[in-house]
């Protein structure tokens, strides 16, 4: 394959990666790193450098729509981002001192743990009391989730938004998990949504769509914090990063439109399957 054909192929594949990353709140980097290393045979550190750039680009492309649609919780994102950015800087500094096999293994383990968490299929708790959380109350983190609903009773068949309030709990637990998620993001060049989404969905009790949209909003800031370190270290190849970012942006725009129509349970199932597949691939490479 010629260099030009390879760049075109990488861009095309990253469209799908960006779409899934935006839809699931994982960040395209979760898929970009395995694709560039396993399918195109690129060095892991160069793949991570390109992935960090794509994470920022994909988040910037999808976040405005999530905010307009009312999915992303801006207050939760800002609160948790304080912990995530601190972890991201520490992880990026640590990455330069670990072997390639160690990075593969850590990547695989992190995704496997996230998959196990999502297997604990959270029961439908609508109507049940959420434990009080003084931190969430003080910071006004509670919000409303929206979902598409057809039929307005007027016979027009138009689509309206079904608005449902939700309460946030266990903010301290969420902050602890976000510090670890940030470290993983800086270490592996991913958006760390693989840990952020389960943390918000299972621990803080945010609806799954709000969790994925808020995670997508956060990963751009997290990626930008660690991108500086990768740029200074020379792990970012401009042509490769540009191709990956272009594909990711296009895919992220598509994924942001799909979130409103994909059922929550289908979203959770896709999330789980993707994590299991990528985790297995990376663990095999790391332990081989």
């Amino acid at each position: 394959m010629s260099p030009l054909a390879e760049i075109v192929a990488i861009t095309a594949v990253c469209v799908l990666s960006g779409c899934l990353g935006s839809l699931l709140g994982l960040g395209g980097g979760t898929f970009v790193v395995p694709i560039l290393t396993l399918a195109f045979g690129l060095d892991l550190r160069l793949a991570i450098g390109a992935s960090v750039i794509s994470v920022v680009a994909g988040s910037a492309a999808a976040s405005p729509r999530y905010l307009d649609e009312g999915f992303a919780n801006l207050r939760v994102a800002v609160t948790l981002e304080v912990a995530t950015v601190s972890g991201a800087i520490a992880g990026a500094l640590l990455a330069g001192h670990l072997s390639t096999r160690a990075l593969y293994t850590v990547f695989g383990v992190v995704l496997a743990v996230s998959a196990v968490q999502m297997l604990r299929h959270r029961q439908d708790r609508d109507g049940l009391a959420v434990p009080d959380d003084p931190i969430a109350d003080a910071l006004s983190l509670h919000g409303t989730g929206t979902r598409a609903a057809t039929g307005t009773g007027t016979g027009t068949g138009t689509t309206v938004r079904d608005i449902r309030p939700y309460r946030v709990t266990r903010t301290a637990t969420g902050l602890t998990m976000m510090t670890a998620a940030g470290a993983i993001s800086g270490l592996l060049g991913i958006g760390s949504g693989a840990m952020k989404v389960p943390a918000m969905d299972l621990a803080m009790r945010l609806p799954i769509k709000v969790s994925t949209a808020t995670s997508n909003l956060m990963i751009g800031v997290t990626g930008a914090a660690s991108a500086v370190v990768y740029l200074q270290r020379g792990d970012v190849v401009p042509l490769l990063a540009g191709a990956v970012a272009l594909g990711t942006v296009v895919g992220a725009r598509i994924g942001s439109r799909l979130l409103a129509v994909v059922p929550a349970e289908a979203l959770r199932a896709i999330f789980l399957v993707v994590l299991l597949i990528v985790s297995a691939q990376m663990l095999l490479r790391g332990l081989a």
Side-chain angles (χ1 to χ4, degrees), residues 25 32 94 105 135 141 157 181 211 219 237 239 249:
V32 167
L94 180 61
T105 304
I135 300 178
L141 300 183
S211 298
I219 60 180
V237 178
L239 181 59
V249 166

Side-chain angles (χ1 to χ4, degrees), residues 10-270:
I10 289 174
T11 303
V13 172
C14 286
V15 172
L16 176 60
S17 171
C19 179
L20 282 174
S22 172
L23 181 63
L24 301 178
L26 295 174
T30 304
F31 312 103
V32 167
V33 175
I35 288 171
L36 295 182
T37 56
L38 302 177
F40 292 93
L42 295 179
D43 180 79
L44 180 62
R45 298 188 187 281
L46 297 183
I48 290 177
S51 172
V52 170
I53 303 302
S54 74
V55 164
V56 179
S59 174
S63 293
R65 186 175 183 86
Y66 288 150
L67 289 170
D68 290 341
E69 295 284 341
F71 287 114
N73 187 319
L74 185 58
R75 286 181 178 271
V76 169
V78 172
T79 300
L80 298 181
E81 199 60 59
V82 175
T84 310
V85 169
S86 300
I89 295 174
L93 293 173
L94 180 61
H97 303 284
L98 294 179
S99 67
T100 300
R101 287 185 60 188
L103 288 176
Y104 275 121
T105 304
V106 170
F107 198 174
V109 169
V110 168
L111 296 186
V113 170
S114 297
V116 171
Q117 289 178 314
M118 297 307 289
L119 274 172
R120 297 169 51 195
H121 181 69
R122 192 182 75 180
Q123 298 179 351
D124 186 4
R125 296 170 178 172
D126 287 347
L128 298 181
V130 175
D132 291 334
D133 182 5
I135 300 178
D137 293 339
L139 298 177
S140 301
L141 300 183
H142 316 298
T144 56
T146 63
R147 66 177 183 177
T150 56
T152 62
T154 63
T156 61
T158 57
T159 299
V160 297
R161 291 289 170 188
D162 179 17
I163 302 177
R164 297 189 175 188
Y166 60 86
R167 293 183 61 80
V168 178
T169 187
R170 302 189 186 94
T171 306
T173 301
L175 286 168
T176 301
M177 297 181 71
M178 290 302 163
T179 302
I184 294 300
S185 174
L187 187 65
L188 301 174
I190 64 175
S192 69
M195 294 181 65
K196 289 177 180 175
V197 174
M200 288 184 280
D201 178 54
L202 299 175
M204 301 178 69
R205 299 277 292 272
L206 272 69
I208 183 65
K209 289 192 176 184
V210 176
S211 298
T212 57
T214 304
S215 172
N216 189 86
L217 178 63
M218 294 172 62
I219 60 180
V221 181
T222 308
S226 55
V228 176
V229 179
Y230 283 94
L231 285 166
Q232 290 179 338
R233 199 159 51 216
D235 289 342
V236 177
V237 178
L239 181 59
L240 174 62
V244 171
L246 176 61
T248 302
V249 166
V250 174
R253 297 287 293 181
I254 297 172
S256 67
R257 293 178 179 276
L258 291 177
L259 183 66
V261 298
V262 175
E265 294 310 312
L267 191 65
R268 194 188 304 274
I270 296 171

